[in-house]
Amino acid sequence: MTEKEYFDSRLSSSDNGENFDVKALLSKYLKSWKLFLLFLLIFIGLAALALQFINTSYEVSSKILLKNETSNIDASGNNMVSNNPFSNSERVNNEIEVLTSVHLMRSVLDSLSLQCKVSILETFSETELYGSELPFKIVVDTLYPSAYDTSIKIKLEGKDSFSISEDFEGDLDAASSISSSYGYNRYNYGYKIEKPYGTFKIVPNEKSNVKSTEFLLEFRDIDEMAHDYVKKALSVYVINKDASVINIVLKEQNPQKGEDIINTLVEIYGIKAYQEKNAMALNNVKFIDERLNALSVELNEVEKNVAQFKTENELANVEFDANSFSEQEIDYSRKLTEAEIELKVLSAIDRNLRNGDNESTLNSLSVSSPNLVYLIDNYNRLQIERKSLQRTVPENNPRMIDIRDQLQQLKGNILGSLSTSRQSLRSTIGSIRSRSNQFAAKKQRIPSMQRQLLEISREQGIKENLFLYLLQKREEAALLVGVRQDNFTVIDKAITDFESKSPSKKLFMLVSLLLGLAVPVGIVHLKDGLNTKVADKKDVQKRISVPLIGEITHNASGKNLIEKGEESSRLAQDFRMMRMNMSFHLPKKKMQTILVTSAQEGEGKTFFSSNIGVALASSNSKVVILELDKHNPELMGALGAANSEIGISNYLSPGTRIITINDLLVPVNNNDNLFAIGLGSEKVDGLESFNSVQMVQFMEQLRNDFDYIVIDSAPIGTLADTLSLSKYSDCCVFMVRENYTHLDDLAILEEAKRNKKFKNPMVVFNDVGFIK
């Protein structure tokens, strides 16, 4: 790559929006590195401080599988198949409601004695102790509401004693009126402590390895805790809608505490379900026991009657002929007895329903109607479900209302079925009696005493059969009592997911880092949005189409001129780059006269003119710099040259003595190739003088004598003077100074280019800051 190609690539890269934008943006941020560093330190410090106060919580989870119960057991111990296709889904939802009930959570917290919170007092936060970490255990006897507003400080005094002090948040006078035992007191372990807020004991925990001796004890309202856990920390849901797997998730700061809470929750849930089933079986056993007791009394009476009848009538060895009539009569009598018993049972059920007993279950023993048995079993099942839901949901719950409606409907259906069954039984009894009376007349040939004995024996046999039947059913129901069969299986016991730590310290610090970067970025862009001055070369390139030939870095040395020996400095390299860029920008035309101007004073015209002259002279070219800014002539001072009494104004003024150009030339910086011509002592009218014949001759002679002519002109605001010099120039360099030139002034440059007021306009970006 040739040198020309290299500089062409540098110039063309400014047209690449993407590369330029990235560089400009990074440069803008690097200039504000102190602001970025400050906010990074602030946000990271705040994040580190906040993490000292924010408690970390973890997710503890457990999975249980609900067993599919396809059958229910009625009051008599029989199985009844459920035909409801939605029963499993409803059951899963019901069990979720039970698991998330406040009553169940309260039982868990009470079982784990979590109404007492023991913490270690640290510099920035409190560390709660749990389980084996506790240096002592609190045995609570009685707590009053004032205990929840009391902070107790406990200090271990030795192996056998401790001291406590209380801090009441409420009215101390009210507390002292109850008891005067507050303040610093010393107690022995196991001593019953009586305070205004409650009574409790403190016993040592030998397994604790905590080295601290001062602790904070707080009593918490266990009901409020249960509500908070259920509403804020506990989550119970079905993992898959097609399965009966329930996931129990709890957010807890102490992993061991969270695992104990979930495991205890599942355990107590199983115990309560077992107790409900056990209660149903006990009710069946109780009902059968009552019937057995009544039958036992009746059976004893019958047996006494048989013995007495045989004794009185000496019938111990009587033999009689049992013909077919007797067998028929016995059969009809048995049927009659069964029908009468069933009629009594139906009457008893009817009385129970009509007397308004809506809480107890119904007995379906001896009921022969399958439809009635089905209705009674459904009624008993809904009664049991209603009692189970009463413990966890209010009466106005939609499910409770639905159960009551179903019970009311079943009650009407049962009463209607009872009426039909009783009428049918009465008709059957009448028919049996009619047939029995027919055979009674035929039995008159059998001795009266034998008939009476048969009647007594018949009654005895019926009661014995019924007694044996009830004994069998009692054993079946008793087998269900005391046998625990949980309706669920624990898939996974409680386990802590340590990856779910919330808040995550890494994420917290990352967010703080991002905020530490985002805030200064916002400040930088806000500052740019409110800024009315040129901030970087991007502002120049966006607003004007004049080519930018170079940048001049901020001159921190304070020197106005590049001296010998400084050719390798950054400032010298900037001017060498601009010298090459100007020559490449006008490759087909010799760039001999350079007009330097700006929008306003102080943008570096004189500084540029001086140093570009030095840069051009360093290439063995003969250079002259003209001081033509009549409003603020500073060129000669900047060059360090002696002020001459004669200058351009004297040369252009008519009527003076003849002055040659050699009389005006002032050597600069001991450089044989660099000269300067001052403005002179005469007043100059720019429009008249710069357009005069003398000025044309002056410039023509300079072109013949010098390789380069640099004109330090007035700001473009005084457009008439600078414009009149444009015709002598080959190119015009506009100076734009970072954070000094107004953005509105760029429109003046663009308008001058558009109207071709200057030849080959170019822009130099001055006083650019950089990061060392």
Side-chain angles (χ1 to χ4, degrees):
M1 177 184 290
T2 65
E3 187 178 15
K4 183 179 184 302
E5 291 174 342
Y6 169 74
F7 284 108
D8 284 341
S9 65
R10 291 290 303 271
L11 289 173
S12 63
S13 65
S14 64
D15 297 331
N16 188 335
E18 181 179 357
N19 293 337
F20 175 78
D21 288 343
V22 173
K23 292 180 180 179
L25 192 63
L26 290 178
S27 176
K28 183 185 299 183
Y29 293 155
L30 288 174
K31 290 178 183 178
S32 304
W33 67 270
K34 293 182 180 179
L35 183 66
F36 279 86
L37 179 61
L38 175 63
F39 276 94
L40 280 175
L41 293 176
I42 290 174
F43 277 97
I44 292 176
L46 289 176
L49 184 63
L51 286 174
Q52 299 296 325
F53 293 94
I54 297 175
N55 294 321
T56 302
S57 61
Y58 302 88
E59 284 190 0
V60 185
S61 61
S62 176
K63 293 180 183 178
I64 62 174
L65 171 65
L66 295 180
K67 297 178 181 177
N68 292 325
E69 294 184 348
T70 57
S71 63
N72 295 319
I73 300 176
D74 62 11
S76 63
N78 295 322
N79 287 337
M80 180 188 68
V81 177
S82 174
N83 296 319
N84 185 4
F86 303 102
S87 60
N88 187 57
S89 176
E90 292 178 358
R91 176 172 171 268
V92 171
N93 292 331
N94 290 338
E95 299 306 320
I96 290 177
E97 292 295 329
V98 173
L99 285 167
T100 56
S101 64
V102 177
H103 176 75
L104 185 62
M105 180 57 70
R106 190 192 186 285
S107 301
V108 172
L109 299 179
D110 190 31
S111 174
L112 295 174
S113 300
L114 295 182
Q115 69 269 35
C116 302
K117 176 184 177 182
V118 180
S119 307
I120 297 178
L121 296 176
E122 296 181 342
T123 304
F124 296 103
S125 62
E126 296 180 2
T127 302
E128 182 181 359
L129 302 179
Y130 176 78
S132 59
E133 299 175 339
L134 291 169
F136 47 78
K137 296 181 180 179
I138 313 298
V139 181
V140 176
D141 184 14
T142 305
L143 279 183
Y144 300 107
S146 59
Y148 309 137
D149 299 326
T150 305
S151 297
I152 303 173
K153 294 181 181 179
I154 300 178
K155 183 177 181 181
L156 303 183
E157 302 290 351
K159 295 183 178 180
D160 301 325
S161 62
F162 58 91
S163 62
I164 66 174
S165 62
E166 298 94 339
D167 182 13
F168 293 99
E169 294 184 7
D171 188 3
L172 185 60
D173 295 335
S176 61
S177 64
I178 302 175
S179 171
S180 60
S181 298
Y182 56 85
Y184 287 95
N185 296 281
R186 188 164 181 168
Y187 302 92
N188 292 328
Y189 286 114
Y191 178 79
K192 187 176 183 180
I193 303 173
E194 296 182 357
K195 292 291 181 178
Y197 46 82
T199 304
F200 57 93
K201 294 180 182 179
I202 297 181
V203 296
N205 183 11
E206 302 296 338
K207 298 181 180 180
S208 175
N209 56 1
V210 178
K211 297 180 180 181
S212 179
T213 58
E214 294 187 1
F215 306 92
L216 179 65
L217 171 61
E218 297 177 78
F219 294 109
R220 297 175 290 185
D221 188 350
I222 200 167
D223 291 322
E224 184 177 345
M225 286 178 61
H227 278 88
D228 290 341
Y229 268 108
V230 170
K231 292 181 180 180
K232 302 177 182 179
L234 182 64
S235 176
V236 182
Y237 55 90
V238 180
I239 297 179
N240 189 332
K241 64 179 182 179
D242 297 327
S244 299
V245 178
I246 294 179
N247 195 25
I248 306 173
V249 180
L250 181 72
K251 290 185 177 181
E252 180 57 51
Q253 299 174 12
N254 189 302
Q256 184 60 47
K257 180 180 176 182
E259 292 177 7
D260 290 346
I261 289 177
I262 289 187
N263 289 332
T264 307
L265 177 72
V266 174
E267 181 180 357
I268 295 180
Y269 163 71
I271 291 174
K272 289 187 176 295
Y274 158 71
Q275 290 175 346
E276 292 174 1
K277 290 183 178 180
N278 211 31
M280 178 180 175
L282 287 173
N283 288 335
N284 290 338
V285 172
K286 181 180 178 181
F287 174 78
I288 295 174
D289 285 340
E290 291 176 356
R291 292 297 303 149
L292 284 174
N293 292 334
L295 281 175
S296 180
V297 173
E298 294 176 2
L299 191 57
N300 288 334
E301 291 294 330
V302 172
E303 290 175 348
K304 289 180 181 179
N305 292 336
V306 171
Q308 183 178 359
F309 184 83
K310 289 183 177 181
T311 302
E312 291 177 353
N313 295 280
E314 298 180 357
L315 296 176
N317 296 320
V318 158
E319 294 180 359
F320 56 88
D321 185 12
N323 52 29
S324 59
F325 299 115
S326 298
E327 292 176 357
Q328 291 287 346
E329 183 182 12
I330 293 173
D331 182 62
Y332 279 108
S333 297
R334 181 181 59 79
K335 292 181 180 179
L336 180 62
T337 302
E338 290 178 354
E340 289 175 347
I341 291 174
E342 184 175 357
L343 183 61
K344 290 180 181 180
V345 171
L346 295 180
S347 298
I349 294 173
D350 184 80
R351 285 194 303 273
N352 288 340
L353 288 175
R354 295 185 183 279
N355 289 337
D357 186 5
N358 297 326
E359 301 293 333
S360 61
T361 57
L362 302 177
N363 174 36
S364 60
L365 290 173
S366 302
V367 177
S368 60
S369 173
N371 182 53
L372 184 57
V373 171
Y374 176 76
L375 291 174
I376 291 175
D377 289 339
N378 279 341
Y379 182 88
N380 291 339
R381 179 178 59 80
L382 288 175
Q383 283 284 21
I384 294 169
E385 185 177 357
R386 184 178 67 85
K387 290 180 180 180
S388 176
L389 289 176
Q390 281 179 339
R391 298 185 179 94
T392 58
V393 299
E395 289 294 328
N396 58 355
N397 185 272
R399 180 58 183 162
M400 291 292 292
I401 296 174
D402 182 55
I403 290 176
R404 287 198 299 270
D405 293 340
Q406 292 184 45
L407 286 172
Q408 190 64 30
Q409 183 178 0
L410 283 173
K411 181 177 179 180
N413 294 339
I414 291 172
L415 289 174
S417 181
L418 283 172
S419 177
T420 303
S421 298
R422 290 169 67 187
Q423 290 178 1
S424 176
L425 281 174
R426 291 191 184 98
S427 176
T428 302
I429 291 172
S431 176
I432 292 173
R433 286 177 177 172
S434 176
R435 296 291 294 172
S436 179
N437 291 333
Q438 294 177 6
F439 290 104
K442 297 178 181 179
K443 289 194 307 178
Q444 292 180 356
R445 291 171 298 181
I446 300 173
S448 178
M449 290 185 297
Q450 185 179 9
R451 183 174 57 81
Q452 293 178 11
L453 182 60
L454 287 174
E455 290 177 355
I456 297 174
S457 300
R458 179 189 61 194
E459 183 180 359
Q460 180 184 10
I462 292 172
K463 293 187 181 297
E464 286 177 351
N465 291 334
L466 182 58
F467 189 83
L468 292 174
Y469 174 77
L470 289 177
L471 279 178
Q472 179 185 355
K473 294 302 178 182
R474 186 190 184 284
E475 289 302 318
E476 293 176 1
L479 289 176
L480 299 177
V481 179
V483 178
R484 179 172 175 178
Q485 294 181 346
D486 291 333
N487 61 344
F488 66 93
T489 300
V490 178
I491 299 177
D492 289 328
K493 285 191 174 182
I495 185 171
T496 303
D497 182 8
F498 290 96
E499 296 295 329
S500 65
K501 181 169 59 174
S502 176
S504 172
K505 290 186 178 181
K506 293 182 180 179
L507 181 60
F508 203 82
M509 295 302 291
L510 178 60
V511 172
S512 302
L513 180 63
L514 293 177
L515 286 176
L517 294 174
V519 171
V521 166
I523 293 176
V524 169
H525 286 282
L526 179 62
K527 182 180 177 181
D528 289 344
L530 298 176
N531 187 26
T532 59
K533 296 181 180 180
V534 177
D536 51 34
K537 66 178 182 180
K538 183 178 179 181
D539 291 336
V540 178
Q541 293 172 331
K542 286 194 304 184
R543 286 172 169 79
I544 62 176
S545 58
V546 179
L548 179 67
I549 63 171
E551 301 177 9
I552 304 175
T553 58
H554 175 71
N555 183 18
S557 65
K559 298 178 180 180
N560 294 322
L561 197 65
I562 301 173
E563 299 178 355
K564 287 185 178 181
E566 297 180 350
E567 290 80 4
S568 60
S569 65
R570 184 181 180 92
L571 187 62
Q573 294 297 327
D574 290 340
F575 279 95
R576 290 180 64 187
M577 178 69 72
M578 285 183 286
R579 182 191 69 188
M580 299 298 294
N581 287 344
M582 284 190 293
S583 63
F584 292 148
H585 190 69
L586 299 172
K588 297 181 180 180
K589 179 180 180 181
K590 181 181 179 182
M591 183 190 62
Q592 185 177 10
T593 306
I594 303 170
L595 178 64
V596 182
T597 185
S598 65
Q600 57 179 319
E601 291 290 341
E603 292 179 310
K605 300 184 304 301
T606 301
F607 178 76
F608 175 81
S609 299
S610 303
N611 288 284
I612 196 64
V614 174
L616 291 171
S618 65
S619 62
N620 294 321
S621 298
K622 195 173 181 181
V623 182
V624 62
I625 306 175
L626 306 181
E627 185 181 46
L628 292 180
D629 184 357
K630 67 177 184 178
H631 299 284
N632 189 22
E634 296 180 343
L635 177 66
M636 303 305 289
L639 292 173
N643 288 325
S644 177
E645 294 183 356
I646 59 174
I648 299 176
S649 61
N650 302 98
Y651 182 89
L652 298 178
S653 297
T656 61
R657 65 181 178 86
I658 298 176
I659 301 174
T660 65
I661 291 179
N662 290 331
D663 297 332
L664 304 178
L665 294 176
V666 177
V668 177
N669 201 23
N670 299 321
N671 193 327
D672 297 336
N673 295 323
L674 181 61
F675 299 89
I677 300 178
L679 183 63
S681 59
E682 299 292 332
K683 292 184 179 180
V684 178
D685 184 351
L687 290 176
E688 295 295 334
S689 299
F690 296 160
N691 290 318
S692 64
V693 175
Q694 291 87 343
M695 185 66 182
V696 173
Q697 294 174 351
F698 176 74
M699 293 300 299
E700 189 66 29
Q701 186 174 351
L702 289 177
R703 283 179 176 273
N704 295 328
D705 296 341
F706 292 91
D707 297 317
Y708 292 100
I709 304 170
V710 179
I711 303 175
D712 181 18
S713 67
I716 200 173
T718 56
L719 190 59
D721 293 350
T722 306
L723 184 60
S724 63
L725 295 172
S726 175
K727 60 185 178 181
Y728 303 112
S729 65
D730 297 315
C731 66
C732 180
V733 175
F734 293 95
M735 300 301 298
V736 176
R737 184 176 179 181
E738 183 181 278
N739 294 323
Y740 187 88
T741 303
H742 291 278
L743 293 171
D744 295 339
D745 292 341
L746 298 178
I748 300 175
L749 306 183
E750 181 65 18
E751 189 271 337
K753 176 183 181 296
R754 185 170 57 251
N755 295 325
K756 300 181 179 180
K757 294 180 179 180
F758 298 95
K759 298 178 181 179
N760 300 313
M762 305 175 187
V763 173
V764 171
F765 195 39
N766 187 27
D767 200 22
V768 179
F770 67 96
I771 304 301
K772 293 183 180 180

